[in-house]
Amino acid sequence: MEKKPKPPFYVTTPIYYVNDVPHIGHAYTTIIADALARFMKMSGREVFFLTGTDEHGQKVEKAAAERGLDPRAWADKVVVRFHDLWKALDCEPDFFIRTTMEFHERGVQKLFQKLLAQGDIYKGEYKGWYCISDESFLTEDVAVEKDGTKICPDCGRKAAVVAEETYFFRLSAYQQKLLDHYAAHPSFVRPQSRMNEVASFVRGGLRDLSITRTTVKWGVPVPDDPAHTIYVWFDALHNYVTGIGYDWDLARFEKFWPASLHLIGKDILRFHAVFWPAFLLASGLPLPECVFGHGWWLKDEAKMSKSKGNVLDPYVLIKALGPDALRYFLLREVPIGLDGNFSHEGFIHRVNSDLANDLGNLVSRTLTMIGNYFQGAIESPAPEEDADTAVRWAFDEMKERAFAHYESYAPNKALEEIWSLITIVNKYLADNAPWKLAKDPALRPRLARVLFQAAAVIRGVTPLIAPIMPGSAQKIWDFLGEPGAVQDVRFDSLSFDDFKLGRTMKEPTPLFPRVDLKAFLADEAGTPKEKTMDETKSEAIPAPVPAPAQASVAAPASKPEPKTNIVTYDEFAKMDLRVAHVVEAVKVEGAKKLLKLKIDLGTEQRQIVAGVAETYTPEQLVGKKFIVIVNLQPAVIRGVESQGMLLAATVDNKASIPFFEPDVPTGAKVK
Ligand SMILES: [Zn+2]
């Protein structure tokens, strides 16, 4: 019987503010989107996953001006931080939209013009308390302070009264239509509690929305009235339609619109659940299926904020454990709609227990036994006994439930199901003790059966964890001797019997080494991370910052190459290594590991920051000569710019620098 083709799946993240330094919150939304996109693809749906950056507005203009750049050039420079992080996290969007893209600006103008012509946009005057930092007027309910001013509730900065000519969107006209839509589509906003919140806000009455500014220059100009700039929401939200082809790739637009899922942080729910559907209703475009507001990650039970200095840098976590551990933790720990608490203890505990112990051990001991007892290929298993059949059934049941959870955007529950099966199989192995069966040649068929059941479960589970942990799933797939990419598996046909006799398995390498919490915390404390913490001072692009002292020079903290870390000669030759001599050395305040060095390269002097202070005093280094990578991307470490990196060995967490004899000329090339 022909199956009905499944509908396409279109998932989005918000476009992130390009000035922001990506943190765990950005990572979280994008990882959810990536995991669901991967799942839906493997379910046989055509998928489009969109993310991107919002590059307009006063703050971008200002940041650029401070650096003598035009705003677009500044955006070009900093947008790389997002590209780099998605790569490091194995997130693979189908398209990365930037609101400075020409087709986006054109699309926004076209929609603006349409609504203007039909009377949904009109010109008027707006007067209100305005937060320059957040580029938004305060809501009326913000109280007046003693000094007669108002303080922005979002950022705590002082707001100013602004009156200006503006274009309004006639939001008030859409109140009833929105309420009707919510009533007819109770899952339009998830979780349910937020649907109620949104509906009650709309029931309270909607005012028309000012959607242009004369004070902001960097943005999409109002067509035929360029003194006005279309700002923030009317510009940004439309990325969801321009990003899949509105007005420039109609076939794609029509295939994927309306979106299946807008993933957002709960702080921007109102914009997505009220303004956005109202814009779409006005434009005559269908409304998205679901706006899902996810929760916050708290750090040790406190909200993360730049002022508290407790913002989590995803690179620190990726560097220690790889992207999959972080992806797993964030999606397993809490349901998408709730707040989660991040503690290093909790993170390491979960990685050790779920990944290293449960999954890692199941894979490694099963495959190692198959290697030892059967040279990697199981042969002639005995017929299934009841306990064996129970494993098969447990797999079938788990599969159905895990699918359903994934489909309803509950990856945490899907993982719970998968892990309860892993527990069952680990117990099955303990109960049936294949290592004992192996001692009696007469029990060889029975031994084959037990290992077959375990391997079949591993074979069946691997595609199911692939959306969450793509790299690790592929590794297991390779161990199993399966050809090709695990993400090419289609769930429709996934079955216990996909595991075939006669396929030769490989010797497994450790998937998730156990992590020692103490060592991890010590390492984390020593990792420079201010670059990704401090957006106002970050000049250079924070590509993953290599630890200042490390023996390997070719290791940015992004995901490790899956197969090999061999570099070609040409790649190596790109590195400019030189003999430098130290002119000045001082400690970096507040960082016990770091020294700031002024070095001479023969042709010029530079400043570098090196994590060597635990081994060397500043005095010991002045006049010394060592190797520096000269053409490394500059980085800011603890607020100090580092224009290069010295080479040193790390022994017991301390740096040991190889020095040259004094007669080696400064600036000499090292190769
Ligand atoms: Zn503010």
Side-chain angles (χ1 to χ4, degrees):
M1 207 174 76
E2 281 289 302
K3 277 195 185 151
K4 221 175 90 192
K6 294 183 171 178
F9 180 76
Y10 173 32
V11 60
T12 66
T13 74
I15 44 174
Y16 304 116
Y17 203 58
V18 76
N19 261 10
D20 282 349
V21 175
H23 54 67
I24 203 83
H26 302 108
Y28 183 47
T29 322
T30 310
I31 288 171
I32 300 171
D34 184 73
L36 292 175
R38 287 173 188 269
F39 171 81
M40 296 301 174
K41 233 174 258 176
M42 293 176 75
S43 304
R45 294 174 72 169
E46 257 193 282
V47 170
F48 202 86
F49 163 21
L50 182 74
T51 188
T53 40
D54 176 3
E55 309 196 339
H56 288 138
Q58 215 152 335
K59 280 197 277 187
V60 173
E61 204 175 356
K62 198 167 148 237
E66 280 166 8
R67 290 154 178 93
L69 293 171
D70 80 73
R72 175 64 201 237
W74 166 246
D76 286 346
K77 195 171 144 97
V78 289
V79 70
V80 180
R81 302 188 288 213
F82 288 94
H83 289 294
D84 285 348
L85 183 59
W86 304 153
K87 216 182 273 173
L89 282 169
D90 257 346
C91 290
E92 294 175 350
D94 293 291
F95 190 64
F96 188 108
I97 187 170
R98 305 175 56 188
T99 53
T100 45
M101 286 169 168
E102 194 267 334
F103 65 80
H104 170 77
E105 300 188 346
R106 212 178 49 224
V108 169
Q109 286 182 323
K110 185 171 171 173
L111 287 159
F112 188 98
Q113 253 164 334
K114 176 178 157 67
L115 302 201
L116 185 66
Q118 72 192 33
D120 276 308
I121 290 176
Y122 64 93
K123 209 176 203 177
E125 194 194 57
Y126 187 86
K127 191 173 171 193
W129 290 95
Y130 183 76
C131 172
I132 291 168
S133 175
D134 292 326
E135 296 177 14
S136 66
F137 282 98
L138 276 49
T139 52
E140 296 293 320
D141 53 341
V142 176
V144 179
E145 300 290 312
K146 277 185 203 130
D147 66 354
T149 64
K150 285 193 178 189
I151 302 293
C152 169
D154 293 325
C155 69
R157 292 181 173 89
K158 205 167 250 195
V161 174
V162 172
E164 64 177 23
E165 190 185 66
T166 188
Y167 286 88
F168 284 96
F169 171 72
R170 208 177 290 281
L171 185 60
S172 56
Y174 290 90
Q175 180 174 353
Q176 195 50 49
K177 284 179 188 147
L178 286 169
L179 290 171
D180 293 346
H181 186 79
Y182 303 153
H185 303 87
S187 311
F188 176 67
V189 172
R190 288 182 62 187
Q192 183 62 43
S193 57
R194 304 214 184 281
M195 178 76 268
N196 305 338
E197 209 179 286
V198 165
S200 93
F201 169 77
V202 173
R203 245 179 264 119
L206 294 176
R207 292 203 218 182
D208 292 349
L209 188 69
S210 159
I211 53 167
T212 63
R213 284 286 167 272
T214 50
T215 44
V216 179
K217 289 291 156 234
W218 179 237
V220 183
V222 170
D224 307 322
D225 196 356
H228 291 263
T229 303
I230 300 171
Y231 95 123
V232 191
W233 297 106
F234 197 86
D235 171 2
L237 287 164
H238 282 107
N239 93 86
Y240 299 131
V241 292
T242 61
I244 44 156
Y246 173 78
D247 204 36
W248 61 280
D249 184 346
L250 216 59
R252 190 164 77 178
F253 178 68
E254 278 168 5
K255 177 189 281 178
F256 287 105
W257 190 258
S260 318
L261 178 62
H262 289 315
L263 282 164
I264 57 166
K266 61 185 178 183
D267 54 326
I268 49 175
L269 185 64
R270 195 170 288 177
F271 305 105
H272 281 79
V274 181
F275 301 172
W276 177 227
F279 295 160
L280 290 167
L281 286 167
S283 307
L285 294 169
L287 304 197
E289 270 169 52
C290 179
V291 174
F292 205 136
H294 66 66
W296 297 127
W297 278 95
L298 310 176
K299 173 81 191 296
D300 301 320
E301 308 293 348
K303 191 168 190 286
M304 292 184 213
S305 74
K306 260 177 275 170
S307 54
K308 282 190 204 141
N310 65 345
V311 180
L312 272 180
D313 179 355
Y315 281 117
V316 173
L317 304 169
I318 300 167
K319 189 184 150 223
L321 295 158
D324 283 357
L326 182 59
R327 292 173 64 112
Y328 176 81
F329 178 81
L330 294 179
L331 296 192
R332 171 68 183 80
E333 193 72 3
V334 287
I336 290 175
L338 299 184
D339 287 347
N341 181 54
F342 193 101
S343 70
H344 288 109
E345 291 77 4
F347 177 49
I348 300 297
H349 174 75
R350 199 171 262 298
V351 169
N352 281 343
S353 126
D354 295 10
L355 300 184
N357 284 358
D358 297 345
L359 175 63
N361 276 348
L362 174 63
V363 171
S364 92
R365 65 177 171 168
T366 303
L367 298 190
T368 303
M369 284 189 283
I370 294 172
N372 291 347
Y373 306 144
F374 294 95
Q375 284 77 51
I378 299 174
E379 66 211 36
S380 344
E384 276 185 6
E385 297 176 4
D386 286 353
D388 313 325
T389 308
V391 167
R392 167 192 296 271
W393 286 353
F395 172 80
D396 288 344
E397 282 171 20
M398 177 280 297
K399 190 185 80 173
E400 294 310 318
R401 286 197 293 253
F403 277 1
H405 290 314
Y406 267 127
E407 297 266 5
S408 61
Y409 310 142
N412 63 309
K413 286 192 179 160
L415 289 169
E416 240 172 74
E417 291 293 342
I418 296 167
W419 255 255
S420 63
L421 177 67
I422 289 173
T423 306
I424 289 172
V425 178
N426 275 325
K427 182 170 183 306
Y428 166 83
L429 284 175
D431 291 347
N432 288 278
W435 47 92
K436 285 186 189 156
L437 299 174
K439 289 179 183 151
D440 184 349
L443 295 176
R444 193 168 168 80
R446 182 69 205 136
L447 172 66
R449 170 54 62 194
V450 171
L451 292 177
F452 182 95
Q453 300 305 90
V457 165
I458 296 170
R459 166 64 174 77
V461 157
T462 303
L464 285 168
I465 63 170
I468 316 280
M469 297 191 286
S472 307
Q474 186 59 46
K475 261 175 134 179
I476 301 172
W477 202 241
D478 295 339
F479 296 158
L480 289 164
E482 293 287 345
V486 64
Q487 65 188 24
D488 293 341
V489 171
R490 287 297 167 262
F491 289 137
D492 277 351
S493 61
L494 184 69
S495 115
F496 188 84
D497 297 309
D498 290 336
F499 181 71
K500 303 288 184 221
L501 284 178
R503 177 152 290 155
T504 302
M505 275 153 274
K506 300 191 182 110
E507 199 180 320
T509 52
L511 281 169
F512 305 100
R514 278 191 69 87
V515 181
D516 180 66
L517 178 65
K518 258 194 201 160
F520 174 78
L521 292 177
D523 196 42
E524 200 252 358
T527 305
K529 54 186 166 182
E530 21 321 300
K531 167 86 62 57
T532 44
M533 292 291 150
D534 180 355
E535 68 176 48
T536 55
K537 283 187 195 129
S538 68
E539 289 294 335
I541 299 156
V545 182
Q550 55 184 36
S552 151
V553 295
S558 60
K559 106 178 161 164
E561 283 294 310
K563 297 234 157 39
T564 165
N565 56 359
I566 290 175
V567 296
T568 64
Y569 181 79
D570 285 348
E571 284 163 345
F572 171 72
K574 279 187 202 162
M575 270 187 294
D576 191 0
L577 302 173
R578 304 256 174 192
V579 177
H581 100 250
V582 179
V583 182
E584 268 174 40
V586 290
K587 295 204 157 193
V588 175
E589 225 168 287
K592 67 178 169 79
K593 283 190 166 193
L594 300 180
L595 292 184
K596 183 170 88 177
L597 307 176
K598 190 195 269 185
I599 54 167
D600 193 335
L601 294 164
T603 49
E604 60 169 308
Q605 294 200 339
R606 292 219 190 156
Q607 170 177 303
I608 64 170
V609 176
V612 298
E614 290 184 315
T615 329
Y616 304 96
T617 63
E619 297 73 25
Q620 280 173 319
L621 287 185
V622 173
K624 285 279 181 2
K625 291 183 175 178
F626 46 64
I627 304 172
V628 166
I629 306 172
V630 175
N631 60 344
L632 188 70
Q633 192 161 57
V636 178
I637 298 170
R638 294 280 152 120
V640 184
E641 189 171 14
S642 185
Q643 305 159 317
M645 181 169 85
L646 69 81
L647 296 196
T650 306
V651 182
D652 291 337
N653 224 3
K654 286 189 177 162
S656 174
I657 306 174
F659 294 114
F660 286 103
E661 295 300 324
D663 58 344
V664 176
T666 297
K669 202 163 164 52
V670 181
K671 52 183 181 177

